[in-house]
Amino acid sequence: MDASVVGIRLASGVVTPLVKKLFRGEGAGAGLVDRPVRISSYVSLREQRVLSRDDLRRLADKLVAEALRAPGEQPLPPGEEPGVAAALAVTLHCLGDLALEDAQAVEMGARAFAAELRKAAPATGLGRDAELFHDRLLETTCLHVLHFFTTRSTYIPAALVEQARRQAEAIAKIDALLARIPRQDGRDAEFETRYLAYLAQRHSTLTIFGIDLPPGSARWPLDAAYVSLEVVSPSPDRPLHRPTAPQWLHDGSRASDPRLHEGHRVLLRGEAGSGKTTLIQQLAVSAGREEAAADLVPYVLPLRTLTRHGEPLPAAKDFLAATALKGQSPEGWEDRVLRAGRGLILVDGIDEIPEAERVRARDWLVDLFAAYPHNRWLVTSRPSAVRHDWLAGEQFTELVLVPMNQAAVAAFVTRWHAAAEAGEDLRDQLLESLATKPELARLATNPLLCGLICALHRERRGFLPSGRKELYTAALSMLLHRRDRERDLRLPELAEEPQLQLLQRLAHWLIRNGRTEIGRDRATALIAAALPAVPAAQALGDAPAVLRHLLDRTGLLRAPTEDTLEFVHRTFQDFLGARAALDEGSLGELTRHAEDDQWEDVIRMAVAQGRPLERAAIIRDLLVRDTDRAVLLALASLEYAAELEPELREDVRRAAGRLIPPADKNAAEALGRVGPLVLDLLPRGEDARGGDAHLSVRAAMAAGSEEAVGYLAGYCRHPDEKVRELLVRAWTAFDTRQYAAQVLAHMEPPPSTIVVDSDDKLAALTSFTGPPDLYIDNGVSRKALTAFLARQPVAGLTFWYFGGGADMEFLRGHTSLRHLVVNGWSELRDLGPLQGLPLEEVSLYLGGDLPIAPAIASWSRLRTLTLHSRPGAWSFTDVSPEAPLEEIELDEADPDLVGLGRLTGLRRLELGPAWRPGGTAAWAELSCLKNLREIAVSCAVLAGLAEFADLPSLRTVLFYDGAEPWEDGIEERLLRRFPHAKLEMVPQVYEQ
């Protein structure tokens, strides 16, 4: 048999004793003293007294004999055994010369270890078969040697030491490698700094429409131009207990304040030109400022740009797709930012994508919310683009940008003239015109129109158009024709009409395709197709040259990217698109889109620009369609119809009559968007009843014009509480002083819960029919409040995180005060001025070191007492014996019930989840309350209540939702004890 294929196997019971003889006895531990732990350090044959060469030869003879004992054909020719044994002895003797450590030998394996021994030993001098047998036997022997190593008590500790040594070396090498590779968080921080600087540069300027400025200076700093706009909730049904809009939306400079946790998701509606995009710019720039309180990262997502070619809406990793930094962020950076909850995602223009794509857009948003729930979101849209509850299921707060009031308009005009260096005389002249000419003031309702009015007033030295159509026409004339000529630029002069003809082709294409951006190639093709019909424009050159002129010189087009164009504002697109539709005679196409919100302004602008027959045809066609939206659009169009048959006007009013009073909240808001025209159709305050009154007031609020203030004043004495609440909330939608003087001052009875969040608003409240209730926010100063209370008695005050000093001295002697709520007044240390006041309802959220006993003892008219914390020492014995207390609510206190029993008029008692009875005396005090109808306690107290309390009038037992176990049978026991009572959980109140 060929020895090369023979596998040698030796029984462990035979070989192990032989292998052990090769090595000395071991010691305890890891063998670190003789380091490194080499095989040579414990091979017996190096010490002759243990194992001699003859001994080693005899050991080799035994190994050979054992290997040859296997049955079958012998692998060696007869007589070769002694030579193989001698060679094996010589090879094994080299164990004493190896510099390997035992752990290294085990790691090498038997075959490699045997090869090391062969290299260390001299040539065997054997024949081919004998040498192969020698090598096989050596390899098998080495396998047993290595096994022996692993059984030694020193091997495992030594191996562990070696492993630790190698791990330390690996860690050191990895650390050295990492030191040469930039840390990921360092790359993130570096890129964020660059990105925020880019946002500041990209979004920190605004265009000044239509004024004559040197090249390159037609943009002004956002900080100088930005006017804070008012936002309100479109759903004023619930009582107002805090400002409606989250503070980060009111004030972009605080967009990153980590304390402003409420209102993380906002859907903001606003008409064209109302400032939605400008607000997004302000938030994007402000969030990246060094003074921002937290490191929010803004992402501006203009949907019109992201979907201009029908591309899918971006995943988080593509949030920079519409920026110049696309593809330059560290891999996974966007995901890390959003998973950390640091994102401020600003989604601009749901209305600027086709209606058919909005369902897809909502699905896209919902997926993002699910993946990244802890970020701030702002989504903007025109009012009618999506239904009122479009994102309600995703915990969105819905807000509306209200038309600019007189104060906002005055601020805008002042800033505009300062930035444009237009002079104080022109500014003052325009401010006077806005204050004295109602028809002009009606136009100045948003930043776009205010800017146009300012520019036209400056250009025309005080002469202004009186209607919206005239305003747009004059603005186009200024932008297209007069700017370059008056600036004495030596350029080819092109008349206004040819430019309008070309621009309206672009606008009409955008409207028909439901877009606000057009590719440069498509725009060039449209211009090329139109040039043969507009020969005057050919003086500028071919289609690319003409398009370049329209982009560079008219001020009406801009290029958001290298390959796309858009109108500087959607309003100009709609105006010119309507002009194109009239020129083409496609009136039917206009009215066929009456249900599409993207065509709403186009239809109205067509009525404004059309000839009498065209206007009549559009309005009649809208009436024929007879849908609510078409009828409302016809009604809204009357404002723009300079000439129209009286019979047709009456037909429109009659058709709209079936929509008045509105059927629900949505119908009321849609009706109000028609404008001041609707006020003449709505029922007046003295005639409106119930729901009609409530919805009519809501519609008037949505109209948002100066005339609406006079209409709302007719409801000042309306008895319906919902109507009164709406009247109070409407204050933010109109001029502060005008509304306060015409509506709030005449409400009978005087209004309750008027939210005052600034000194200016407080100063506007000059008189009332009686003492009002005020809700004082932290934006009001102590000085302003003191001056107000010195001249105006109040019936109620709510302080919400007020920063008014350490005392309430300004309330001393205010005998009209009946209701007081203090929540979050951290500096307050003294309630002394409240002593003796005729307070009837008191709710205090105070610190634990503020004594309240003297004040409580002095309130002889107190009916309701609510303590939301654990103030200084007090007890039920402190309550004035004259106080007709009916309700007590304790949130966090754990009161002793001593003295409670004398409050026999008490009908409602909330003892708080922490209260536990102190013994039978507590139950005795409680049982004195024979008129008590409702009690709230923790689950742990219910058993004692069922066993010890005697409350014959009890009708409701409330328990707190806590971790206490629910005792078996407790409900049956309570019902047996209080047969007329019901068991309910304490209602949870969540802030919205």
Side-chain angles (χ1 to χ4, degrees), residues 805-808 825-832 846-847 849-851:
D807 61 59
M808 308 178 83
W825 188 339
S826 59
E827 300 174 4
L828 187 60
R829 296 292 179 270
D830 180 17
L831 296 181
L846 302 171
D849 57 347
L850 186 59

Side-chain angles (χ1 to χ4, degrees), residues 895-939:
D896 189 321
L897 300 193
V898 174
L900 175 64
R902 64 190 182 86
L903 305 177
T904 55
L906 209 62
R907 298 172 64 82
R908 180 174 174 272
L909 175 63
E910 286 196 24
L911 288 173
W915 179 77
R916 299 292 184 273
T920 57
W923 296 117
E925 292 280 356
L926 195 61
S927 297
C928 292
L929 306 178
K930 302 303 183 183
N931 294 310
L932 193 69
R933 299 184 65 84
E934 182 178 302
I935 190 170
V937 294
S938 72
C939 292

Side-chain angles (χ1 to χ4, degrees), residues 166-232:
R166 291 188 182 186
Q167 286 178 342
E169 291 176 0
I171 290 171
K173 291 176 181 178
I174 292 172
D175 286 343
L177 179 63
L178 290 176
R180 294 195 294 270
I181 300 175
R183 290 172 57 90
Q184 184 64 59
D185 55 359
R187 294 177 62 204
D188 284 0
E190 180 182 358
F191 178 76
E192 283 178 23
T193 300
R194 180 186 173 199
Y195 173 62
L196 293 175
Y198 163 79
L199 286 181
Q201 182 70 23
R202 172 71 178 82
H203 296 292
S204 61
T205 57
L206 295 174
T207 300
I208 311 178
F209 287 110
I211 65 172
D212 305 329
L213 294 175
S217 62
R219 299 181 69 81
W220 55 359
L222 180 66
D223 286 341
Y226 183 73
V227 176
S228 182
L229 301 172
E230 195 75 39
V231 293
V232 297

Side-chain angles (χ1 to χ4, degrees), residues 209 211 409 412-413 416-417 430-431 433-434 439-460 462-465 467-468 471 475 478:
F209 287 110
I211 65 172
V409 170
F412 184 97
V413 170
W416 192 98
H417 282 77
L430 179 55
L431 289 174
S433 296
L434 289 167
E439 68 280 1
L440 181 61
R442 280 199 298 270
L443 291 176
T445 57
N446 62 54
L448 172 71
L449 295 175
C450 280
L452 288 177
I453 289 171
C454 289
L456 286 167
H457 183 265
R458 179 181 184 271
E459 187 203 14
R460 298 184 171 200
F463 172 76
L464 284 170
R468 185 159 297 190
L471 178 65
M478 176 179 63

Side-chain angles (χ1 to χ4, degrees), residues 652-666:
V652 173
R653 290 175 177 273
R654 193 162 39 249
R658 65 179 173 82
L659 305 177
I660 298 173
D664 53 33
K665 181 180 70 173
N666 293 335

Side-chain angles (χ1 to χ4, degrees), residues 303-321:
L303 295 189
R304 61 182 176 275
T305 300
L306 294 170
T307 63
R308 61 178 177 264
H309 299 309
E311 301 95 333
L313 289 161
K317 64 183 179 62
D318 300 317
F319 273 7
L320 303 190

